[in-house]
Amino acid sequence: MEQRLRRLREECEGKDRLRLFYALSRYLIEEREEVSYAKLSAALGVTESAVKNLLHTMRQRYRSLLRDEVAHTVESPADVQDEIRYLCAALAAGTG
C-alpha cells in the first residue's frame, strides 16, 4: 500500500498537484458517505463536483497501481482479480 501511495504522490507532484494529493489521499479507500465533499471543496477552493471528479480520478489511478503491483506477485495475469478479491477479504476481516 505504501508503494502505491508513494507512486501516486510522485505522479501528483510531477503535475504540481501535491496539495491535492495530501488533501484527497486519505479518502482513497473510504466509502462515499464518509467523505465530506463540502469540507474538501472549501479547503481546496473548488466546487464539490470538482472534488468528486478529482477523487474519482485519483481512486481510478490508485486501483490501476494496485493491479500493477498485484500482477507482479501472481503467476498468471488471469489470477490478478482473484488475488485482489482475496486481499480485500483479508483486509475486511482484519477490521471487524
Side-chain angles (χ1 to χ4, degrees):
M1 185 166 159
E2 192 172 308
Q3 183 178 350
R4 282 175 279 142
L5 281 176
R6 182 179 44 78
R7 285 181 59 191
L8 190 56
R9 182 186 53 77
E10 289 169 355
E11 289 177 8
C12 288
E13 187 175 22
K15 297 176 184 176
D16 290 327
R17 292 184 154 204
L18 198 52
R19 180 174 172 250
L20 179 68
F21 170 81
Y22 285 119
L24 300 180
S25 62
R26 72 180 101 185
Y27 302 104
L28 290 174
I29 58 173
E30 298 292 326
E31 295 295 325
R32 288 187 177 151
E33 302 82 37
E34 298 174 18
V35 179
S36 174
Y37 294 107
K39 286 182 183 178
L40 287 169
S41 171
L44 293 170
V46 298
T47 65
E48 284 186 44
S49 179
V51 169
K52 289 177 183 179
N53 288 330
L54 290 165
L55 188 53
H56 176 74
T57 301
M58 191 177 279
R59 283 175 170 161
Q60 283 182 318
R61 183 62 185 140
Y62 186 75
R63 282 191 298 271
S64 175
L65 292 170
L66 171 65
R67 291 186 71 74
D68 289 347
E69 195 171 316
V70 169
H72 294 350
T73 67
V74 295
E75 290 184 28
S76 164
D79 297 332
V80 171
Q81 192 58 40
D82 287 339
E83 185 69 10
I84 289 174
R85 277 191 208 101
Y86 172 79
L87 291 170
C88 289
L91 289 171
T95 61

